Amino acid sequence: MLRPLDDIQDDLTFVYAHSGAKDKDDNDNRIYQIAAIIIGENARQNSYSSLVRYTKTTAKEYHYSNVSKDKLVKAPPKEQVAEEVTFFLRNQKYIFMFDNNDISKDLQFYTGAKRIVDLHFAAEYFLPFLESHSFKNLWEFFNGKPRNKISFDAGEVVNICLDLIRYICGKILNDTENPNATVIRYCLLKSNSLFGQIFAHITKNYQSYFGHIEGGLLNPYTKDDTNDWRQFLPKSQDLHVKKKEKVPYKKIIPASIDQAYAEFRANDRNFNDRPTQIEYSREIAHALNEGQILIIEAGTGTGKTQGYLIPVMEHLYLNPDSRVAISTYTKNLQNQIYNREIKHLTDTHKKFQDISYALLKGKSNYICVEKLDDLYDEEKGPNYILAWLYLLNLVFHFRDAEGDVVGSKVKKVLEKNLDFGQFLNEISAKNGCSVSHKTCPAQVVMGEALASRLIVTNHSKLALLQAEALLSGLFSNYIIDEASHFEHAVRDAFGIDLVSKDLFEIVNYIKNVANSINAKGSASFQPAMKQVLAFIDALKNEVNTISLILKSMNNHTNSNVTEMHHLRPNDHKFKNGHLENHLNPIKENITDIVKQFDVLDNLDNPKEAGLSRRKVNRLGTYLDQLKECLENVKEIIEKIIDDNNVLSYRIFEKNWILSLQPVDVSEIINNKIHKEKDSIVYTSATLSQKESFDIFGGIIGVMKPGASIKVVKSCCIPSPFAPGAMEIICHKDAVSGEYNNKEVWCKKVIDILPDLITKNNGSTLVLFSSYEDLKKVAKEVSEQIIEAGFPLFIQEPGISTIGISEEFRTIKESVLFGVDTFWYGVDFKGDTLTQLIITRLPFPNPNDPIQLSRKRTMNRDIYWQRYSYEKDIKLRQGIGRLIRSETDWGKVYILDSRYIKP
């Protein structure tokens, strides 16, 4: 796909095959249905479709393709189908296929050695703004309406592929629909690859292929291609705001809250009138009026989002100089609030339409276009050009696509000959992207935030808002949603990480530049560059020494690399018994490297050093990153002895991460938020323990004597859903899930799970407290569940959960095994979920560095109260997944005898 196109064929050929597991009964065949279509110029079409004999079909295969097992047993053998497909494709040199299941090699038996253009790659590449690139999601996107089923036969998938090509070439690459198409087409051709050339070809000949569909009117190619991509970038607004003198707030009167809900009743046919939501809004309004700290728990179904948006917008309407920041833990909720909830409110309440609002994500979500410009190089081959263009497309879609999230297929393809992770790290706006970069997305959204009276952001960004020079002091009222996660976010925001992989990438680039200067620059630079090379070697040796020491600790050959492990800085394995004796040489070598490059800052002509201007700019980016590493090393050395900071590490085969984090963040929250803001609302469905907010109050620092100068109020709004809709049962055969009984517990779970799932006819979410538990249980029960006829979806580390959530939501009888992210923030409304199984109580890992530090520094009783609180909050979050609407119902089974029903 990345090699050049030798010869353009006249036809467009699409092939798709449904596949399952290897079928030993039929010569290791995976494919059970195949379809193809050939589209020639002047709208000529020819199609082929066939089932393939397959005996290993499961319920999941049926739900994907709607093909029954009986039909597959009677289908022709793969040899016969392969002969037919080969003949059908006999004149084709390359084919389009959507390889969503890594079947390209299996498909070769049917298609021969055709070159493949992977449309899964193309979908991620050209449509990065889609939440999912599943067939269901693509179909809904192209057709503009929901689809209730997830099944598509192979012929339907081929038509989706055809729609994908039409959308890419008729919309994305159409300069009348998308002005920046001229740049994308230019770079596609410059890549000199089959992928780039074929999409440019189809776009240029669009009317010949698809004119009969579009009425012959569409012409995507009306302008010449160009490499002037900067002309299509938005520019930031003036990044200066005159701060106004604070005046007393006008107060929201209760009648205005009632009136707002009356307008909902009058203008929104789907509005569900809930007294608990009105009560919730009144509490928020009172906190804004009185400048309070409000801790408010609102049960599932209260309607929290609109519940706080109504008083927030009323407050902003009454007080033109006031500003409010709303923060959430999950990106999904941030996008929902910004894209749907605020718009819905302003559509039904016209007086709020002039209140400006913005979505403010962290800088790491955006790409710096100045750094991206420095990476542009047409001479580096198809991988490089296509990677650069993909990143540019993320810039073009910065409002609706994540700049730091790469599609799995895009990453897999482009990383074959390119360190794409390093590429992303270099061009991130998280550092070195200044306000002078007027066209960088991070600065554009900053300008929008400055001009807005309401911002939606994330917890980490909110915690650091006071440190943002331009935004500091502008937003005086905070609504902190999903507040049960706020402590964790603050800890991450104020933590310090030192990553050996990042450090190596930085110094390796600098080493290449130093070697280049030695070879091409003037002789005056050579002594400094030789010093740089020596310092880099010394730094690498020290980093490798730390790696060897960390690997020798605690027999990490069998440990979970996803976990952080507590690190004692005075461990005897370190030189002279302390980590500082390794960090100090790293600090000194980094300092010396930076000093040696100071001479380049004064070069008017970079050619004296044998460098291009772009390379000098890239060098500056890497030196900035190196300086940031230096500050992190200094801060770790400085704070390593502080009892309120805990040091931890994660070790991998080739690199390590050191992390220093505050244990108790209450003082940070008090100083950075409570003492600086007018009103702060903490809200979530789970904040209290046995109707007490004492522990959460301690977490945010309002329970200490003299900690807060504000009035602190807490209250609980119950869920409006009928309590009888859910039954919580500790299974009669459950045993204790405590650590020393884990083997017995695991065997019991394996015994219990299949029977519960079968009796409920699937529709089950199974929550595990760790990946280790999930893998052990799944290994033993997966086959039994699948053979019973239930599609089984299993969460995998590092893989987006959007796809399996969509499949589980759509297939009524399915079963989902999940960890962490499935305990909170997901909705499975209706009868797709009627049974929730919690395999083990979600006690925190006692060996987690934070837990070990608390245990060392806290009073014993207080420690265990806090430990129990974290378990209770996560357990309640998990249980809350079952009932998400008024019509939901079901049972919660807990397979851990330690559960005591409150």
Side-chain angles (χ1 to χ4, degrees), residues 574-610:
F574 292 123
K575 183 179 179 181
N576 296 328
H578 208 282
L579 174 62
E580 198 172 329
N581 296 314
H582 300 278
L583 294 180
N584 275 322
I586 291 176
K587 178 186 74 173
E588 291 160 6
N589 280 301
I590 292 176
T591 301
D592 289 334
I593 292 168
V594 172
K595 284 181 179 177
Q596 294 302 323
F597 275 102
D598 282 346
V599 64
L600 292 180
D601 290 341
N602 300 319
L603 275 180
D604 295 325
N605 183 6
K607 291 183 179 179
E608 290 183 34

Side-chain angles (χ1 to χ4, degrees), residues 487-591:
E487 177 192 23
H488 175 75
V490 173
R491 182 174 292 118
D492 279 351
F494 287 89
I496 310 157
D497 287 339
L498 183 64
V499 184
S500 67
K501 182 176 183 292
D502 292 349
L503 193 52
F504 265 40
E505 287 175 352
I506 293 166
V507 296
N508 281 339
Y509 182 83
I510 293 173
K511 183 176 182 178
N512 289 337
V513 172
N515 282 324
S516 179
I517 293 174
N518 266 338
K520 300 176 183 179
S522 66
S524 62
F525 292 115
Q526 290 179 358
M529 293 305 99
K530 287 179 180 178
Q531 289 276 13
V532 166
L533 294 172
F535 294 140
I536 288 174
D537 287 342
L539 185 151
K540 283 186 167 184
N541 286 335
E542 204 63 62
V543 170
N544 287 329
T545 299
I546 294 175
S547 182
L548 291 172
I549 294 171
L550 295 179
K551 285 180 179 178
S552 72
M553 293 179 174
N554 302 322
N555 189 25
H556 283 296
T557 54
N558 298 316
S559 70
N560 185 351
V561 297
T562 64
E563 294 179 358
M564 297 297 288
H565 303 275
H566 182 248
L567 182 61
R568 291 183 295 111
N570 59 348
D571 193 290
H572 71 279
K573 292 186 177 182
F574 292 123
K575 183 179 179 181
N576 296 328
H578 208 282
L579 174 62
E580 198 172 329
N581 296 314
H582 300 278
L583 294 180
N584 275 322
I586 291 176
K587 178 186 74 173
E588 291 160 6
N589 280 301
I590 292 176
T591 301

